[in-house]
Amino acid sequence: MYDPMARAAARLREAELRVTVQRMAVLTAIEELGGHPDAEAVRGRAQEVTGGLSLQATYNVLRVLTEVGLVRCTQITGQQARYEAERHNNHHHFVCRFCGDIIDVDCVIGEAPCLVADLPESYRVDEAAVTFWGACPRCAPAEHG
Amino acid sequence: MYDPMARAAARLREAELRVTVQRMAVLTAIEELGGHPDAEAVRGRAQEVTGGLSLQATYNVLRVLTEVGLVRCTQITGQQARYEAERHNNHHHFVCRFCGDIIDVDCVIGEAPCLVADLPESYRVDEAAVTFWGACPRCAPAEHG
DNA sequence: CTATTGTCTTGAATGACTCAAGACACTAGA
DNA sequence: TCTAGTGTCTTGAGTCATTCAAGACAATAG
């Protein structure tokens, strides 16, 4: 039993960031929510702790947390940016075309960039982002065509 | 030597779409522009033919052309939607983190979905979209860090 | 040629996100 | 502990790609 906020504070300090309730709340929210919440969802959860948290602050905090590598930001075509706690396991995403749900897919190849692009050597590739598109188990049966 | 507009008209008819100058202009524009133009760029080129083409019409046309498979729409994180003539060769994209330039990368694996996701069988995967991120030859030398 | 239906234009709206300015809070140093 | 200094938060307005809505217009079938 340990205080998640205290833990968040420690991680912020480790990253050489100022420790504020808003940052602790956002970081804790992302870790406790799990999945791939968007900024609004993160804000909602964080507000339960802080009592109030502006959307602007949510975006600010999400950005700095992403910059220092505590949070990973994923932008799926046609959706808002989504956030998840960075666990430093290279993984990709499956996105359901129907409900928009996102789930993690372990990278079976290894570290980034896990794929090799057929490009001239003058191109420097540092990441291969793979998004699998399809139908999730809930939507697949309902899909016609 | 053949009229590109007549060719466009034929392809529209083939797709069972009404043939309008706007549609011919947009389809021709995409094919002649090459690369990965956004809606505004497509509109600009198409206007040279039609004299006038509303942005709304551009979006409408791009959508229907995408739906019938004459055009492929690619949405890269942090950029507007981009369009290209569908050539039915499964390929992916390289995106330069610095200048935003997009270039095609042939898929070395084969037909979609070219990768297999480590997912339960109940998930139906029909596409694996790969985006390679890095620095293009023009930006790589200037990059510090 | 005309009716019907789909498409285009115009103008307003949406939604995610960002900018800006002032109020406020965190950290370091006295 | 107090205070200066700077970074962060709040509020409110702004941006930008894209979409909605309504009426004018054009393409196709008969």
Side-chain angles (χ1 to χ4, degrees), chain B residues 5 16 22 24 36-37 41 71 74 82 90 98 110 112 127:
Chain B
M5 291 291 271
E16 301 188 329
Q22 291 87 350
M24 290 188 286
H36 304 79
V71 163
T74 306
R82 290 166 175 279
N90 190 36
F98 305 94
E127 186 188 348

Side-chain angles (χ1 to χ4, degrees), chain A residues 34 46-47 54 69 97 111 134 136:
Chain A
Q47 279 181 327
S54 71
R97 288 189 194 278
E111 298 203 335
C136 74

Side-chain angles (χ1 to χ4, degrees), chain A residues 1-9 11 21-38 41-50 62 65 70-71 83-87:
Chain A
M1 288 304 158
Y2 57 113
D3 183 2
M5 292 291 271
R7 197 168 96 90
R11 305 183 66 197
V21 274
Q22 291 87 352
R23 286 177 175 177
M24 290 187 286
V26 165
L27 185 50
T28 306
I30 286 182
E31 292 181 340
E32 292 184 348
L33 278 172
H36 304 79
D38 58 21
V42 171
R43 181 193 185 198
R45 175 66 171 239
Q47 279 181 327
E48 295 174 13
V49 176
T50 61
L62 286 171
L65 294 184
L70 286 172
V71 163
Y83 303 86
E84 59 189 310
E86 178 61 87
R87 269 161 292 130

Side-chain angles (χ1 to χ4, degrees), chain A residues 13 18-20 56 59 63 80-81:
Chain A
R13 252 185 287 271
R18 282 203 181 178
V19 178
T20 68
Q56 176 66 67
Y59 278 110
R63 171 185 290 152
Q80 329 88 292

